[in-house]
Amino acid sequence: QITSFESMFIHAPLLQSSRLKDCFPRLSSATACSLFRKKSITLSSAKPKPVFEIRPTFEPDGSVIRCQVFENMFDRVFGRSSSSVAQEVAGPATILFADNAPSWEDLQSLADERCKELGYSQPDLVNGPTNSYSLLRTFGKTDKPAVKLYRDHAAWCPYCQKVWLLLEEKQIPYEIEKINMRCYGDKPRSFTAKVPSGLLPVLEIGGKVITESAVIMNLLEELFPERPMMPPADSPLRAKATALMRLERQLFGIWLDWLCSNSGYDPKRKRFEEALDVVNGELDARGGPFFLGADISMVDIVFAPFLERMVASVLYYKGLRMRSEGRWPAIDRWFEAMEARSTYIGTKSDFYTHVHDLPPQLGGCGLAREGEPFALKIDGQDGETWSLPLPPLDGSSLEPYSPGENPAVDGLQAALRMIENHATVVPFALRGCGAPGPRPVSARLCDPTAIPGSQHKKEADALLRHVVHALLVGVEAKQASESALKRDDGGLPGSAAWLSAEYVRDRICVPRDLKFPAARQLRAHLNWAMDAIAKSS
């Protein structure tokens, strides 16, 4: 029930998640003014039970920022069209800025020079280290691959990650076709004709279509024994491996029970921590760093996707640091050993991606007050985590990353990706100043049918070129050059460009788009550009 302009109460049944930001990112003042004039609107016939209070906050200059999910909800209540909402919203107050960044062609030349300076070469997607961009993997073999993997396009699916990682570790040649998950897009008919359920992952081999990750992994181990990932069937270690994979399912259930709940914080946290104690003990029992000892096995591959997601989600939603805290040292060593492998690091996501890809897959995650300070940091809303200069990145960071970073190379990788894909990135960015799509999906940061604000292409393109230039030469050198991002009273309006940059920043997906170190460089440089054209600066 909406009670006044100053505060609003929402019934629990209206929300799948207790995370307010998932449903109400930033309330626009103009929309709020028009909507809150109706002093009492009953959204449920049941007696109101207020569980969430949302107080609208406004920018100092009274500027308006779109809140798509909020507006869509009220479209349904008031019967308004999305076009009428779009007329009420605009970007933040910004300066006019100079369209003086190098062209995409000139940026490509700068990137080529930078590659030579740093001794960097583009990755070999067919035979080189594991890479999310790959569509064919042969590992130096010449025969046509007998295996085809269908995995999700955004690399969100943990079960796809298991199969992907096993194929890479066993170096089985395979082709890849990327398929949308339902929570962020449609599946092609060619795929659903083969797999009516639409479930992923899927393996195609010898004319047969195989589903279910566990079945696929066991089949691959049987058909391709050259690099065994399981102990011999008659060995005592095989029984231990089987028991450990049952332990992974037990840990998974305990984690989900806590993550998706808004109640019983203390007992559920205790139960989860005790389950981690057991896992830590098992890693210690055979000397580590892996579950069966010194060598990686299928047990590690089974554990990897969910331990990775647990570390991200329990920090963000519950305020528990699993890594680098000293309670679970064997788990710390396991992560370091996994992150030393190019196979794993090529499939690994980051905290931000996981904490936003889990709710649409699980039906919601419960945010506890203990998680709120960490949620601000992981979302880049603390004014530091996604801002230049970036804090160092290593195994002891808030988001541990034991391989560390190379900021010059990381920035170059981000720039190369933007240059290579600028013809699709710019229209994608323009969704930020466009209109919501007619067919929304459950993933909050996805809108595959969104209508881009194409009339603002020139501004968005110019600002993104400024970002890429800064990634290549550094902010200080750029701002000392004739291509500085600066005020120009005869230049381009910044509002739509700001919204476009924000849209890209919030949708950088690891590892789909970039590895984590490069993704954080791109996010921070987008923030730098947004700050540079904000009127307050």
Side-chain angles (χ1 to χ4, degrees):
Q1 183 178 9
I2 302 172
T3 57
S4 70
F5 176 75
E6 287 76 21
S7 66
M8 179 174 74
F9 296 90
I10 299 294
H11 288 243
L14 290 175
L15 301 178
Q16 288 185 329
S17 167
S18 68
R19 175 141 175 75
L20 296 181
K21 186 178 177 185
D22 284 346
C23 299
F24 303 95
R26 293 179 74 182
L27 184 62
S28 73
S29 55
T31 302
C33 289
S34 63
L35 297 179
F36 280 87
R37 288 195 188 105
K38 291 186 179 281
K39 297 211 173 168
S40 181
I41 300 167
T42 301
L43 301 180
S44 169
S45 59
K47 183 178 180 181
K49 182 180 180 182
V51 289
F52 302 123
E53 182 175 10
I54 302 168
R55 295 185 179 275
T57 56
F58 307 94
E59 299 299 303
D61 60 2
S63 61
V64 181
I65 297 179
R66 178 184 2 258
C67 173
Q68 174 185 327
V69 177
F70 181 87
E71 290 162 358
N72 284 349
M73 185 183 82
F74 280 96
D75 287 349
R76 294 195 294 272
V77 174
F78 300 130
R80 301 188 311 167
S81 68
S82 60
S83 60
S84 67
V85 174
Q87 291 171 3
E88 294 178 0
V89 297
T94 57
I95 62 172
L96 299 174
F97 69 98
D99 184 10
N100 59 341
S103 67
W104 291 110
E105 293 74 17
D106 289 341
L107 289 169
Q108 181 65 68
S109 298
L110 281 173
D112 292 341
E113 293 173 10
R114 191 71 170 141
C115 286
K116 292 176 183 177
E117 290 173 16
L118 297 175
Y120 176 80
S121 57
Q122 292 276 36
D124 179 351
L125 301 183
V126 177
N127 299 300
T130 306
N131 195 299
S132 66
Y133 310 158
S134 298
L135 296 176
L136 173 67
R137 300 285 285 157
T138 63
F139 306 103
K141 298 173 184 176
T142 56
D143 294 340
K144 179 178 172 59
V147 172
K148 185 172 185 177
L149 171 66
Y150 296 85
R151 70 166 179 86
D152 76 296
H153 192 274
W156 287 5
C157 172
Y159 301 99
C160 293
Q161 187 182 4
K162 291 182 188 182
V163 177
W164 181 14
L165 186 51
L166 182 65
L167 287 163
E168 291 291 318
E169 285 287 349
K170 290 178 73 68
Q171 294 192 1
I172 300 169
Y174 66 105
E175 296 177 89
I176 303 100
E177 184 170 337
K178 297 174 184 177
I179 305 292
N180 288 334
M181 295 177 75
R182 286 197 177 94
C183 63
Y184 61 75
D186 296 329
K187 297 177 187 291
R189 290 183 180 178
S190 59
F191 177 74
T192 54
K194 294 179 180 181
V195 187
S197 69
L199 294 178
L200 295 167
V202 171
L203 197 78
E204 203 168 26
I205 182 169
K208 295 182 179 180
V209 174
I210 316 296
T211 59
E212 300 292 340
S213 61
V215 175
I216 292 170
M217 294 171 77
N218 288 332
L219 179 66
L220 290 172
E221 184 70 1
E222 177 186 337
L223 295 180
F224 300 92
E226 295 82 7
R227 290 173 175 257
M229 299 299 291
M230 284 288 281
D234 56 352
S235 71
L237 209 53
R238 180 63 168 260
K240 173 53 70 175
T242 302
L244 285 169
M245 287 192 273
R246 286 198 297 268
L247 174 62
E248 186 271 341
R249 289 291 83 188
Q250 293 167 12
L251 176 65
F252 170 81
I254 293 168
W255 166 62
L256 278 193
D257 182 50
W258 187 31
L259 178 64
C260 299
S261 174
N262 293 311
S263 62
Y265 179 90
D266 290 335
K268 289 179 179 179
R269 172 171 177 155
K270 183 174 184 291
R271 187 168 175 239
F272 179 71
E273 289 176 335
E274 289 171 348
L276 289 180
D277 290 340
V278 174
V279 172
N280 190 79
E282 289 290 352
L283 281 165
D284 253 346
R286 281 159 294 283
F290 300 107
F291 277 95
L292 296 183
D295 297 320
I296 193 172
S297 72
M298 196 184 294
V299 177
D300 302 284
I301 292 171
V302 166
F303 266 91
F306 287 109
L307 279 176
E308 177 183 316
R309 285 157 178 78
M310 288 173 195
V311 171
S313 61
V314 298
L315 179 63
Y316 184 96
Y317 289 104
K318 307 299 182 184
L320 173 65
R321 292 190 70 172
M322 274 178 58
R323 290 185 65 179
S324 307
E325 288 296 284
R327 176 166 177 175
W328 300 291
I331 293 177
D332 286 340
R333 291 192 294 272
W334 178 85
F335 268 109
E336 290 167 3
M338 290 295 290
E339 289 172 350
R341 306 184 73 84
S342 62
T343 49
Y344 175 65
I345 213 69
T347 71
K348 188 179 188 298
S349 188
D350 72 336
F351 284 9
Y352 178 79
T353 302
H354 277 324
V355 300
H356 293 292
D357 73 40
L358 285 170
Q361 296 181 73
L362 302 177
C365 300
L367 178 69
R369 65 177 180 273
E370 290 84 352
E372 290 173 359
F374 298 105
L376 286 173
K377 291 179 179 294
I378 293 168
D379 281 341
Q381 299 297 314
D382 63 338
E384 297 178 2
T385 312
W386 288 7
S387 297
L388 296 174
L390 285 166
L393 180 64
D394 55 34
S396 62
S397 301
L398 178 69
E399 181 167 354
Y401 192 81
S402 56
E405 63 178 340
N406 183 334
V409 171
D410 300 335
L412 174 59
Q413 289 176 344
L416 286 166
R417 188 69 169 157
M418 290 286 286
I419 295 167
E420 178 184 355
N421 293 288
H422 74 271
T424 52
V425 171
V426 174
F428 176 79
L430 287 168
R431 294 178 180 182
C433 58
R439 293 190 296 118
V441 293
S442 59
R444 183 178 70 85
L445 295 177
C446 299
D447 189 0
T449 60
I451 302 166
S454 301
Q455 68 273 28
H456 300 294
K457 180 179 178 181
K458 187 173 183 180
E459 303 100 287
D461 184 273
L463 190 62
L464 291 177
R465 284 186 283 110
H466 276 297
V467 169
V468 172
H469 188 215
L471 283 164
L472 289 171
V473 304
V475 168
E476 186 175 345
K478 174 179 176 56
Q479 293 302 85
S481 74
E482 61 183 15
S483 299
L485 177 53
K486 60 186 178 181
R487 176 189 290 273
D488 179 356
D489 291 338
L492 299 173
S495 180
W498 191 99
L499 288 170
S500 298
E502 181 192 46
Y503 193 89
V504 172
R505 181 201 67 191
D506 291 348
R507 286 157 182 81
I508 297 167
C509 180
V510 177
R512 181 196 65 189
D513 303 320
L514 294 163
K515 290 183 180 178
F516 175 46
R520 70 197 292 261
Q521 288 290 335
L522 180 52
R523 288 167 181 154
H525 280 78
L526 285 163
N527 266 341
W528 162 77
M530 291 160 63
D531 289 343
I533 65 170
K535 183 170 283 186
S536 59
S537 65

